[in-house]
Amino acid sequence: MSIVKINALTVPSEQREELEKRFASRAGVVESSDGFEWFELLRPLEGTDRYLVYTRWRDEAAFQAWMSGPMKSAHQGGGSGGGRPGGGAGRGPAASDSTVWTFEVVQQSGPKPGTDAAEA
């Protein structure tokens, strides 16, 4: 089954817009990675200052290949905006803290065909 990696980023309110811009500037980069299945950047609405970066992968090996290849290069300044959600070339981090959680997908479902959610 697939695995999910959730990066919980603590982002001060004055850095929210910057964090979102940095992610937008590298849209499409992870999608070409072997084993990549899904990405979402989740903005907090209430009760927390943590953004969640949700990625889903075929397996742990696919995620580790991304981390040791394209993502490692991006962290070293090889990607647009520095590649890091919290950093970039010449810019400080937008996030003040980061924690990665790993989950295995044991059940899943999606919208039924013909529903508004399935057409979105």
Side-chain angles (χ1 to χ4, degrees):
M1 276 295 223
S2 299
I3 64 156
V4 169
K5 297 288 185 170
I6 298 175
N7 191 355
L9 301 170
T10 303
V11 182
S13 59
E14 65 275 6
Q15 291 289 68
R16 288 175 145 204
E17 186 176 346
E18 179 64 23
L19 179 91
E20 291 179 25
K21 284 181 184 177
R22 291 181 189 183
F23 269 96
S25 74
R26 52 177 229 189
V29 174
V30 69
E31 286 88 340
S32 61
S33 297
D34 182 48
F36 169 81
E37 295 178 355
W38 199 263
F39 163 84
E40 291 179 325
L41 175 61
L42 306 176
R43 177 192 304 137
L45 294 179
E46 58 185 44
T48 185
D49 57 357
R50 285 187 157 195
Y51 275 72
L52 299 181
V53 182
Y54 175 103
T55 57
R56 182 172 162 153
W57 300 85
R58 175 184 60 232
D59 53 30
E60 182 69 24
F63 173 75
Q64 291 303 325
W66 159 252
M67 290 300 292
S68 64
M71 194 60 186
K72 182 177 181 181
S73 171
H75 273 263
Q76 294 172 345
S80 65
R84 289 181 290 160
R91 295 183 288 181
S96 62
D97 186 44
S98 173
T99 303
V100 177
W101 302 323
T102 302
F103 297 87
E104 181 178 34
V105 177
V106 293
Q107 291 184 21
Q108 65 184 15
S109 65
K112 296 178 182 176
T115 64
D116 288 340
E119 296 167 5

